[in-house]
Amino acid sequence: MEFQHSHASHCESGVMSSMLRHLGLPISEAMAFGLSSALSFAYLPIVKINGLPLIAYRMPPKFIIKGLQKPLGLKMRFETFRSPEAGERRLNDLLDAGKLVGMQTSVFWLPYMPEDLRFHFNAHNVLAYGRDTASGDYQLSDPVVETTVTCAPADLRRARFAKGVLAPKGLLYYPEGKPSEPDWARVLPKAIKKTTRIMLDSPIPIIGTRGIRRLANAIERLDAQGNPAAAKMFIGQVVRMQEEIGTGGGGFRFIYAAFLQEAAERLARPALNELSDTLIDIGDDWREFALSTARMIRDREPLNPTKLADKLRAIADREQGFFRDLRRAAA
Amino acid sequence: MLDNEVPQEGNSTLAGHRKAMYARGTDGKLHIVQSAGWEVEEIVTRQAVDDLNRLAEDARQRVIAGQTSALEYHMHKARMDVPLLSQVTGLWQWRIRRHFRPDIFHRLSDELLRCYGEAMGLSIEQLKKVD
């Protein structure tokens, strides 16, 4: 079967959606995201990227790939490599065998990415579906790019074996066997409940709605008078994580709302449609927070961390209410 | 976010790429809409890129003034910082900082230079000079 590329907002859910469709189980990106309970919030002050904390609106890398195995009865194989040579050889063998291969890469070393977006972010996901026989270049399907792309072996090797936080170590993944149509009435409520647990019941105060409040407190403590440049870098980082790094807008809230609409249809539960509407509103709140932040960065309105912190606390309150309602609706 | 609210502001940091966003159509359903970019994204991306460029330019001036080595310039140019360069090369952070001293950098062995060059995708010759 000819491989078919599709444009997605998030790399990991996009890769899995394409891979599953290729295997004969058409599943949307939003369904791949929701079914693996990938939505989250985490404020990780200890993990630093260029000196700034990591803020995540989803579960850690590989969570989607791993999380889809059980509901779809799919076995994924993961392989990492100590040497780039071995990793490259294995990729070539798998492609020669006609496999579709998922890879974890750094964004910085992928030459087809826009220059300004090439940061040292190591948890990007790309599919390899073939190799150009003449040039030896890999044919890649990068879900966040509109069309398929090619990449020279040397560049791909660097991207796969980049070091640092979340180093990919050449990770390759591919399915063994075929996925099967799940029992939606069982798997969907289970996946939704898991997300509500992550958002509401985390024992660690930096995850879920508590994490949003924790971030609000950190923003409030920023020194807007003494060091406005540092304060602006911090709040800019939050918005980058939320809007720029392939989230489909509003820190994945819209993509999860799309999943809830699909779930409503599959389960014939209109209540989930209403909840989806609420989540779209919450996503719009996140977008508004991003807009205010950007305006403050550009001095179009005065830099006011307290105002941003209050916006975040309002969002945390709304999300808390939302996920409680969602928990009831999925029961 | 509705279909017609998806920003199409031609974000320059996307360099002509379009990104997939989720928005609501007239039927109330969410679906993917291609976005040419939002000014908000452009502002925050530009902020990060400008900051990295500022560090590189600042290092370049200090290289010319003889206050630091070309290594520091190339590190910032490759959008890295000392902790990351340390992870990539396997060298201690204090050692890398020591190599920012021009007199010590000039005496580095080819092997160490190759190690740095490898980390940043540069040849030894490129690594030794600033442009």
Side-chain angles (χ1 to χ4, degrees):
Chain A
M1 192 173 108
E2 183 95 346
F3 174 73
Q4 201 194 334
H5 173 78
S6 60
H7 193 192
S9 63
H10 176 52
C11 59
E12 195 174 331
S13 46
V15 157
M16 286 315 285
S17 164
S18 287
M19 200 179 244
L20 291 165
R21 188 182 49 230
H22 192 73
L23 293 168
L25 185 69
I27 270 188
S28 71
E29 183 200 12
M31 182 50 82
F33 187 82
L35 190 56
S36 55
S37 310
L39 188 76
S40 174
F41 181 89
Y43 164 58
L44 306 169
I46 305 152
V47 185
K48 296 271 198 246
I49 297 177
N50 279 325
L52 292 165
L54 182 68
I55 295 130
Y57 293 78
R58 57 163 169 110
M59 294 303 280
K62 285 195 275 193
F63 198 83
I64 297 175
I65 311 169
K66 288 190 169 153
L68 286 174
Q69 295 184 106
K70 218 165 142 195
L72 301 181
L74 181 72
K75 179 87 190 81
M76 294 295 294
R77 241 190 105 87
F78 296 88
E79 295 179 17
T80 53
F81 304 88
R82 217 171 276 170
S83 86
E85 292 72 30
E88 196 168 73
R89 220 177 306 126
R90 183 70 180 137
L91 173 62
N92 292 343
D93 290 349
L94 287 167
L95 288 176
D96 287 344
K99 285 251 188 206
L100 201 57
V101 190
M103 301 179 289
Q104 186 186 332
T105 68
S106 147
V107 180
F108 184 79
W109 298 104
L110 294 175
Y112 58 82
M113 281 279 178
E115 176 70 33
D116 285 340
L117 296 181
R118 288 169 63 186
F119 296 104
H120 290 281
F121 172 69
N122 278 335
H124 188 54
N125 284 276
V126 186
L127 270 176
Y129 67 95
R131 237 185 133 175
D132 188 81
T133 34
S135 61
D137 287 356
Y138 291 97
Q139 293 167 316
L140 306 183
S141 163
D142 188 325
V144 303
V145 181
E146 275 183 89
T147 55
T148 55
V149 289
T150 57
C151 184
D155 292 323
L156 188 63
R157 194 187 311 134
R158 275 192 172 282
R160 288 178 60 205
F161 288 90
K163 304 227 175 76
V165 180
L166 300 169
K169 299 189 187 96
L171 177 73
L172 299 176
Y173 51 90
Y174 52 91
E176 288 186 323
K178 280 205 181 294
S180 49
E181 184 89 19
D183 174 6
W184 296 107
R186 198 179 57 83
V187 295
L188 285 174
K190 210 173 150 192
I192 293 172
K193 268 184 260 172
K194 187 168 175 186
T195 295
T196 63
R197 271 204 306 279
I198 293 165
M199 288 304 295
L200 297 173
D201 309 333
S202 163
I204 318 162
I206 54 174
I207 298 188
T209 52
R210 291 166 80 196
I212 305 176
R213 294 206 176 89
R214 184 60 79 106
L215 173 64
N217 294 342
I219 288 180
E220 195 153 45
R221 280 196 304 271
L222 292 172
D223 184 5
Q225 268 77 51
N227 195 348
K232 285 177 180 176
M233 284 307 288
F234 188 102
I235 56 177
Q237 166 88 344
V238 180
V239 174
R240 268 195 300 285
M241 298 286 163
Q242 179 190 315
E243 297 297 335
E244 174 205 82
I245 323 270
T247 69
F252 295 102
R253 269 53 190 167
F254 294 133
I255 187 173
Y256 197 78
F259 158 73
L260 288 179
Q261 286 186 344
E262 278 193 50
E265 204 162 301
R266 295 222 189 244
L267 299 173
R269 285 198 206 179
L272 291 177
N273 268 327
E274 285 162 36
L275 284 160
S276 171
D277 289 346
T278 310
L279 189 57
I280 294 172
D281 284 349
I282 294 174
D284 286 336
D285 287 351
W286 280 107
R287 300 274 284 182
E288 219 173 275
F289 163 78
L291 183 65
S292 281
T293 305
R295 290 176 57 83
M296 288 184 193
I297 289 170
R298 279 288 166 91
D299 294 318
R300 289 180 200 163
E301 59 180 279
L303 179 61
N304 184 348
T306 308
K307 194 175 154 198
L308 293 177
D310 288 342
K311 271 187 194 289
L312 279 181
R313 288 192 191 106
I315 291 175
D317 288 344
R318 275 195 94 175
E319 291 213 346
Q320 195 157 6
F322 167 80
F323 285 106
R324 282 192 185 136
D325 292 344
L326 185 62
R327 171 176 283 169
R328 243 168 276 132
Chain B
M1 190 162 54
L2 297 172
D3 269 5
N4 55 17
E5 291 168 354
V6 174
Q8 305 290 355
E9 293 164 3
N11 177 349
S12 68
T13 57
L14 288 174
H17 283 244
R18 292 195 301 169
K19 47 193 271 180
M21 305 288 298
Y22 281 81
R24 198 157 26 173
T26 42
D27 59 352
K29 294 271 175 230
L30 283 160
H31 57 162
I32 286 184
V33 178
Q34 262 89 15
S35 164
W38 189 25
E39 197 198 1
V40 166
E41 297 153 7
E42 188 176 45
I43 289 172
V44 292
T45 305
R46 183 72 37 227
Q47 179 197 27
V49 171
D50 285 350
D51 190 61
L52 292 163
N53 290 346
R54 181 184 58 78
L55 289 170
E57 179 53 30
D58 175 63
R60 199 176 72 88
Q61 296 297 341
R62 281 182 291 119
V63 174
I64 294 166
Q67 291 162 346
T68 190
S69 71
L71 178 64
E72 189 185 352
Y73 164 74
H74 286 293
M75 177 186 81
H76 290 304
K77 191 109 197 295
R79 298 184 178 175
M80 293 180 168
D81 55 9
V82 175
L84 179 60
L85 187 57
S86 162
Q87 278 174 308
V88 178
T89 54
L91 301 172
W92 294 98
Q93 294 191 26
W94 64 263
R95 223 177 143 200
I96 295 173
R97 282 202 198 90
R98 191 165 163 272
H99 296 162
F100 289 169
R101 285 168 54 184
D103 51 327
I104 290 168
F105 182 72
H106 286 309
R107 289 195 315 245
L108 284 190
S109 68
D110 275 4
E111 197 187 332
L112 264 174
L113 289 173
R114 208 172 299 118
C115 169
Y116 282 125
E118 185 78 11
M120 296 179 276
L122 297 170
S123 71
I124 294 182
E125 275 58 50
Q126 285 172 311
L127 186 66
K128 280 183 178 166
K129 55 174 192 259
V130 294
D131 34 45

